[in-house]
Amino acid sequence: MTNSILVYIELNNNQPLNVTKEIISKLHNCNNNMQINGVVITDLQSYELSKNILLNIGLDNLYVINDSIFDSFQTCIYSDALVDFLKQNNPDIFLMGATEKGRELAPRTASALDIGLTADCTDITITADYDLLATRPTYGGKMMATIVSKTKPNFATIRPGAFKISNFPSRETNVVFITPDLSGEKILTNILKCENKIQKDDWTCAEIIVSGGLGLKTKENFELIYKLSELLNAKPAASRGAVEMGWAPESIQVGQTGSSVSPKLYLAFGISGAMQHIVGITNSDRIIAINTDKSAPIMNSADVAIVADAVSVLKQMISTYK
Amino acid sequence: MTFKIVVCIKQVPDTSDIKWTEHNTIQRDGLDSIINPFDIGAIQLAKNVRFLLEKMNLDTEINVVTMGPSQASDILKNAVAMGCDKAFLLSDKKFSGADTLATAYTLSLFIKTQIPDFNLVICGQQAIDGDTAQTPSSLAQKLSIAQITNVIGLKEVNKVYSVWIKDSKTSTEEIKTGHPALIATTLKNTNILPNINGYIKACKTKITVLNSSDLNIDINKIGLVGSPTQVKKAYKFEILRNTTYIENESAENCSEYIIDEINKCRVNDD
C-alpha cells in the first residue's frame, strides 16, 4: 500500500485558500515518497469553477465529495461526510488549515473517529516511518510543544501563513468523484441573518511588512508606521503591546492565533519580541529590527539589528521617500 | 420542567505571568490558578439564558462542571458565587494527563449519566493555556448534538430553540438551533462580580465529587492512557539568525541602510 498524506482543501469564492496551498507546498518540500492527495467538499458548480487551480497544485489524487447541500458550510454535515471518507481512504497523515471553519470541523471529525488532533501548528516534520511531528505554540504563545499522536491518521490543523507557497511540481492529478450518503442527515442549525464584513486584503503574505511596537511610545508615533507602509506600498502590522495600547487594531497583530507572516522583508520598529511575535515572523526571508535596547529578544532573532531610536529612523525614512 | 444548562469550565495557570527557569522550562511553582477567562464568558451566557427564560416563568438550573484535582473546587465555588446553581468536580487520578479527546469523552459521560435531560451545554471556546479550541466541538460530537462556535451573544431563547450571535472574521451571523445544542463562546473577561448572596450560596453549596466509576466510563479512553496525542518536547522558541549589529550610527545612516535593503529586496523580485 502506498503511504499517503491527505490535505483538506477549503474553498472560498471558488479558489483554494492560501493556507491550503501553503500546506501542499510544504509537503512537496518535505522530500519523501508519499502520495499527496487532496479532498474537497463542495457542490459541483463550485468544483467546476475551481478545478483549473485544483488540478495544478501538484496533487496525486483529488477526491471531490460533492452534493448541492455543500454550497454552504454546515459543520455537522461536512464532518459526517469527511468521517465516512476517512474511514475508507485511511491516509497516514491528514492536514487541514487552522481557519475558523477548519478549527470547528477538525475536532468534530477527529472525535467521531476517536483519533488525536493537534491544533494550529506552525511547523511539521514527517519521520521516515510516516509519522507526523506537529509543533505548535502553547501557554499563551510562550512555549512551543512538539506533539505526536498514536492514532492514524495523524491529524493536525496548520496555522495560515506558517509556510510559504512555492511553485508546484506538475503532476497528473487523478480526480475521484464521491457521492456521500446523506440519508441520515438533519440540518441542526439555521442561519437566520448574515452580515458579511468588509474583507481587507490579506496582509499576511505582503512582500514588505512595516511593524511597530511599544518602543514607539505614543499613538501619534505609531501613525508613522502607517505613513511609511503607504509610501513603500507595504503592509502595516503591530505587536500585541501596541494593539493593547489601542494604537492599532487587533486585525493587524502579528503572532496571535491565525496570523503568521512570511514577507520578503520584515521591518520591526520598537518591538521587543515576545515569543508569540517571534513565532509569527519566523518565515520572513529577512528581518531588520530597530530598537534602542540591544538586548531585546528580537535583536538576535533578526538578520540585522539596528541599535537606534525607532521613531527617529522612521521619521528620517519618511522624509527620504516623500 | 426545568431548563437545564451545563457550563464546562477549566482551571488554568495565569499565562500572563509565566516565568522561565534557567533550564528553559516553565516555572510552575507559585503560578496563580484562575478560571479560564473564556469560561467566565460561558457563565455569563448561561445567566443571560436564565434571565430570558425567567421572564417566561420557566425555571432554569445552571450546572457547572470541571475536571481536575481537589484544588479545582476553588473555581467551582467561584462559579457558584457568580450565579451557577450546582457544581460538579470530576476528580480521579485516572483522569489526569487527558488530551482534548479524552477530556471531551469524560465530560460527555458526565453529562449523559448525571444530567441526561440537559437542554444546553455552554463552554468557553478555548483555554488560555492550550488555546486548542478543540474540546467544545469534540464534546458536541460525543453528545451527537449541534454546535455553534464563535458565539458572542444570545438573541432569543425558549424551551425548544435559541438564537445566537456568531462573530467570525468574515461575517456576523444570527444562528438558530434546536435543543439540545452546544454553544462555544469567545467572550472573555466578562466581569461578573459576585454579590454577597453569591458568596453565601457558594458557602452553602456542596460540590458533588465524582470519580471514574461513578461515570460508568471506559478507563481505556480517559486520562493519559486514553489520550492519543502526547507532548514529545516543549521548548522556548528562538529564531537563530546570524545577526549583524549596527550601532552608534545617525538616524540618516540607519535610514539609508534600511532603504538599501528595501531596494535589494525589490530587485530580487524582478
Side-chain angles (χ1 to χ4, degrees):
Chain A
M1 204 188 86
T2 323
N3 291 89
S4 68
I5 306 175
L6 184 69
V7 179
Y8 176 79
I9 297 170
E10 186 176 336
L11 296 179
N12 182 31
N13 288 327
N14 307 316
Q15 296 249 353
L17 294 184
N18 280 340
V19 64
T20 303
K21 295 193 229 169
E22 287 158 10
I23 296 169
I24 296 169
S25 297
K26 171 72 180 176
L27 294 176
H28 282 300
N29 294 330
C30 277
N31 263 337
N32 55 45
N33 305 319
M34 298 173 83
Q35 268 192 0
I36 302 173
N37 302 327
V39 61
V40 62
I41 300 179
T42 180
D43 57 305
L44 272 184
Q45 195 184 356
S46 309
Y47 170 71
E48 283 301 323
L49 292 167
S50 59
K51 74 174 179 192
N52 276 344
I53 304 172
L54 296 181
L55 296 179
N56 288 296
I57 47 178
L59 295 172
D60 293 296
N61 292 290
L62 172 64
Y63 302 98
V64 184
I65 306 178
N66 65 90
D67 191 284
S68 56
I69 201 171
F70 297 136
D71 65 345
S72 75
F73 179 77
Q74 296 269 359
T75 316
C76 303
I77 296 175
Y78 269 54
S79 172
D80 288 348
L82 201 50
V83 168
D84 284 345
F85 173 72
L86 286 165
K87 281 181 182 163
Q88 321 244 314
N89 184 265
N90 260 322
D92 294 274
I93 294 169
F94 182 38
L95 301 174
M96 189 182 280
T99 59
E100 282 177 328
K101 286 175 186 156
R103 294 189 74 179
E104 199 172 332
L105 178 60
R108 189 151 182 130
T109 304
S111 181
L113 293 165
D114 270 320
I115 59 172
L117 170 63
T118 308
D120 200 36
C121 300
T122 52
D123 199 12
I124 55 168
T125 309
I126 297 166
T127 69
D129 300 326
Y130 311 110
D131 288 326
L132 179 73
L133 306 181
T135 299
R136 65 185 303 269
T138 185
Y139 273 98
K142 292 189 173 66
M143 187 167 93
M144 301 299 289
T146 299
I147 307 212
V148 291
S149 176
K150 56 189 183 196
T151 48
K152 288 272 175 171
N154 289 168
F155 187 8
T157 59
I158 308 295
R159 179 182 287 197
F163 304 124
K164 279 177 177 289
I165 299 176
S166 48
N167 291 329
F168 297 103
S170 98
R171 283 194 189 178
E172 186 75 28
T173 304
N174 174 43
V175 182
V176 182
F177 290 94
I178 294 164
T179 313
D181 175 18
L182 300 166
S183 53
E185 290 297 339
K186 273 187 296 189
I187 294 183
L188 299 168
T189 57
N190 232 323
I191 300 169
L192 301 181
K193 199 170 143 192
C194 177
E195 275 172 36
N196 288 319
K197 293 183 182 169
I198 299 161
Q199 290 302 298
K200 298 194 182 121
D201 26 324
D202 187 4
W203 59 281
T204 57
C205 43
E207 185 176 64
I208 298 176
I209 291 177
V210 182
S211 190
L214 285 180
L216 298 177
K217 295 195 178 77
T218 64
K219 187 170 181 167
E220 204 176 31
N221 285 338
F222 193 89
E223 291 297 316
L224 300 170
I225 293 290
Y226 289 110
K227 204 174 266 176
L228 181 64
S229 14
E230 201 185 318
L231 290 167
L232 289 175
N233 198 16
K235 296 285 181 212
S239 73
R240 182 186 186 140
V243 171
E244 278 173 1
M245 291 299 283
W247 302 345
E250 205 179 311
S251 58
I252 64 164
Q253 182 183 320
V254 170
Q256 62 168 343
T257 304
S259 53
S260 286
V261 297
S262 48
K264 290 207 167 80
L265 182 62
Y266 188 83
L267 301 176
F269 287 95
I271 292 173
S272 64
M275 200 194 83
Q276 62 262 35
H277 197 93
I278 307 280
V279 173
I281 63 173
T282 175
N283 279 318
S284 307
D285 285 350
R286 205 159 166 77
I287 299 169
I288 301 180
I290 303 95
N291 203 309
T292 43
D293 179 7
K294 191 182 173 182
S295 64
I298 198 157
M299 298 299 250
N300 60 17
S301 299
D303 298 283
V304 181
I306 300 178
V307 187
D309 175 44
V311 176
S312 319
V313 177
L314 266 174
K315 283 184 177 158
Q316 180 62 42
M317 286 180 74
I318 288 167
S319 70
T320 311
Y321 274 103
K322 261 188 178 165
Chain B
M1 276 271 284
T2 306
F3 189 93
K4 292 190 180 176
I5 305 168
V6 181
V7 178
C8 305
I9 67 173
K10 184 181 182 188
Q11 185 183 36
V12 294
D14 188 349
T15 52
S16 61
D17 192 31
I18 279 180
K19 291 182 181 67
W20 289 87
T21 66
E22 53 191 292
H23 308 295
N24 256 1
T25 56
I26 279 180
Q27 171 113 42
R28 284 168 204 273
D29 296 343
L31 210 55
D32 277 346
S33 284
I34 55 171
I35 299 187
N36 176 39
F38 291 97
D39 301 344
I40 298 178
I43 294 171
Q44 180 63 60
L45 284 183
K47 291 178 72 172
N48 294 357
V49 170
R50 170 153 68 196
F51 180 76
L52 292 182
L53 290 179
E54 274 177 353
K55 282 193 186 167
M56 294 183 248
N57 290 320
L58 275 174
D59 284 335
T60 52
E61 179 184 282
I62 304 176
N63 297 276
V64 61
V65 59
T66 194
M67 190 168 95
S70 56
Q71 303 93 286
S73 53
D74 291 351
I75 60 164
L76 289 173
K77 289 264 176 200
N78 246 322
V80 172
M82 288 181 203
C84 297
D85 304 309
K86 291 186 180 170
F88 297 86
L89 174 65
L90 313 183
S91 198
D92 194 319
K93 280 211 173 96
K94 295 191 186 103
F95 292 149
S96 70
D99 69 1
T100 55
L101 186 71
T103 302
Y105 172 71
T106 309
L107 289 170
S108 75
L109 276 197
F110 158 74
I111 294 171
K112 284 177 186 170
T113 59
Q114 309 298 315
I115 314 169
D117 52 345
F118 72 98
N119 300 88
L120 281 173
V121 178
I122 309 180
C123 306
Q125 180 135 321
Q126 65 213 60
I128 55 165
D129 55 348
D131 264 333
T132 73
Q134 288 178 177
T135 308
S137 297
S138 189
L139 176 58
Q141 189 281 326
K142 294 269 176 253
L143 294 168
S144 308
I145 58 174
Q147 62 184 64
I148 307 177
T149 61
N150 287 79
V151 168
I152 57 161
L154 170 70
K155 172 106 183 181
E156 189 188 335
V157 62
N158 59 38
K159 253 179 126 156
V160 188
Y161 70 86
S162 46
V163 180
W164 303 85
I165 300 163
K166 171 175 181 154
D167 186 53
S168 59
K169 276 184 189 156
T170 51
S171 63
T172 306
E173 295 168 326
E174 288 178 19
I175 302 187
K176 177 179 165 179
T177 180
H179 299 149
L182 179 141
I183 305 302
T185 180
T186 47
L187 288 176
K188 65 171 176 176
N189 288 330
T190 21
N191 199 8
I192 310 178
L193 289 178
N195 56 22
I196 187 74
N197 291 332
Y199 284 118
I200 293 169
K201 191 171 151 196
C203 290
K204 285 185 179 165
T205 304
K206 195 177 166 294
I207 290 172
T208 308
V209 182
L210 300 164
N211 62 27
S212 55
S213 51
D214 296 322
L215 300 184
N216 196 15
I217 211 161
D218 177 353
I219 55 162
N220 294 314
K221 291 172 118 182
I222 58 171
L224 194 62
V225 180
S227 296
T229 60
Q230 313 278 343
V231 177
K232 194 179 155 79
K233 73 176 179 185
Y235 57 99
K236 199 170 170 177
F237 186 87
E238 277 168 323
I239 307 184
L240 294 173
R241 297 191 185 220
N242 207 353
T243 310
T244 308
Y245 285 87
I246 296 175
E247 288 178 85
N248 305 321
E249 291 286 349
S250 65
E252 287 81 5
N253 287 350
C254 295
S255 161
E256 213 167 283
Y257 183 90
I258 300 170
I259 290 170
D260 202 39
E261 287 268 356
I262 291 168
N263 293 337
K264 266 195 254 170
C265 154
R266 294 242 151 103
V267 169
N268 287 341
D269 202 31
D270 296 333

